[in-house]
Amino acid sequence: FGPIDAIVIVRCLVFPLGALGTLWAYRRKNPHAVLFIAQATFLAYLVMVGLDQVYRYFLIEKDTAWVFRLNSWGMITTYWDMPPFLTLFFFNLPVGQTIEIAVTSMLTAYIVIPLIYDGYAEFNPSRVLGEGVPPGMVDTCNQSQEYLDACAAYFTGVYAHSIALAFGCATAIVVVSWIVDSSNRRAFVNRKVLSSRSISRPRAALSLTSFSLLHFLILLPDHRSADETEGVRVAETEGRTGDSHQQHLSSNGREGSHR
């Protein structure tokens, strides 16, 4: 039982412990803790990857334990250690946290540790031609200097493609996170605008209804039907006719008395 075994065990426990911590924060209804635990889980896993890379690829086993002729540290790191970071395509983390995780992982696994232990010296053209060319291609590459240069460039790209793939995936993760974060922000603003409008519309409708009711009550005496208006006019005419007839009779009576 050595350091490599302990690193492997701890690395296998990082994500289950992170999942348990996320469930705990979710039950506590603390979204900030959920984001913090997710970021801490990825960074803890990155620390284990870095330690495993140092002990397994550069200090102890070197290149002899792997199938790849050159860049075994880059191949194994990309295809064995980094796939868990692909889940960042689906996790809805803020873009700032995603950038921090992606940049830290690329700096740690592909720049800082390989530069400290001289990992990129494997891409020297002389070493590529001496160790990286398969036996079946040796005679073809030795035909001329042009063939040697072409073989050195080709096999350098073959052994370095894993590093380029890792940087490409990290860039894609950041771009996707930025797009998702921007769309979520726009959706949040749109929801706020729609909710404010839905609240203001009932108030406007209530004000309009109150105004219409008040206007109806004020103008109600003038809103008479045609039959009612005609009846009032007939009554007034009959009243005036009766009064004039009574006045005429009273005047005739006074004249008869004088006589």
Side-chain angles (χ1 to χ4, degrees), residues 214-240:
L214 182 61
H215 182 72
F216 175 75
L217 293 175
I218 293 174
L219 300 181
L220 182 61
D222 295 335
H223 288 181
R224 299 170 180 175
S225 63
D227 295 337
E228 293 177 351
T229 304
E230 187 65 24
V232 171
R233 289 178 180 176
V234 171
E236 291 177 353
T237 303
E238 291 178 353
R240 286 195 297 268

Side-chain angles (χ1 to χ4, degrees), residues 95-110:
V95 63
Q97 289 184 328
T98 304
I99 292 175
E100 182 178 355
I101 294 172
V103 172
T104 305
S105 61
M106 292 298 103
L107 287 176
T108 302
Y110 294 97

Side-chain angles (χ1 to χ4, degrees), residues 1 9 18 24 47 51 84 107 130 150 152 158 186 195 210 213 220 226-227 255 259:
F1 188 81
I9 293 174
W24 172 81
V47 171
L51 293 175
L107 287 176
V158 168
R186 287 195 298 268
S195 63
S210 302
L213 182 60
L220 182 61
D227 295 337
E255 289 178 359
R259 289 178 183 178

Side-chain angles (χ1 to χ4, degrees), residues 56-57 60-69 72:
R56 187 183 298 275
Y57 309 145
I60 299 176
E61 298 185 6
K62 294 287 184 179
D63 297 335
T64 56
W66 303 105
V67 177
F68 306 102
R69 295 174 178 271
S72 61

Side-chain angles (χ1 to χ4, degrees), residues 35-200:
L35 297 177
F36 175 77
I37 291 172
Q39 183 180 9
T41 300
F42 280 104
L43 294 179
Y45 177 78
L46 179 62
V47 171
M48 295 298 103
V49 168
L51 293 175
D52 188 50
Q53 190 181 45
V54 169
Y55 280 98
R56 187 183 298 275
Y57 309 145
F58 295 116
L59 294 182
I60 299 176
E61 298 185 6
K62 294 287 184 179
D63 297 335
T64 56
W66 303 105
V67 177
F68 306 102
R69 295 174 178 271
L70 296 175
N71 191 29
S72 61
W73 62 268
M75 296 285 189
I76 301 301
T77 300
T78 300
Y79 297 122
W80 180 259
D81 297 330
M82 290 300 171
F85 289 94
L86 295 177
T87 55
L88 292 173
F89 278 115
F90 313 103
F91 285 169
N92 194 12
L93 294 179
V95 63
Q97 289 184 328
T98 304
I99 292 175
E100 182 178 355
I101 294 172
V103 172
T104 305
S105 61
M106 292 298 103
L107 287 176
T108 302
Y110 294 97
I111 295 179
V112 176
I113 294 177
L115 289 179
I116 291 175
Y117 294 98
D118 204 16
Y120 286 98
E122 300 178 12
F123 297 103
N124 188 290
S126 61
R127 186 170 178 180
V128 171
L129 292 174
E131 300 179 19
V133 179
M137 295 289 297
V138 173
D139 295 337
T140 303
C141 294
N142 289 330
Q143 291 182 11
S144 64
Q145 186 63 38
E146 294 180 356
Y147 274 89
L148 286 175
D149 295 338
C151 287
Y154 174 76
F155 286 105
T156 299
V158 168
Y159 289 110
H161 80 278
S162 59
I163 300 174
L165 179 62
F167 277 94
C169 289
T171 304
I173 288 172
V174 172
V175 172
V176 170
S177 177
W178 179 79
I179 294 173
V180 172
D181 192 72
S182 299
S183 63
N184 289 339
R185 290 178 183 274
R186 287 195 298 268
F188 177 78
V189 173
N190 292 335
R191 284 197 302 269
K192 288 296 183 181
V193 172
L194 291 176
S195 63
S196 63
R197 288 183 178 179
S198 63
I199 294 173
S200 61

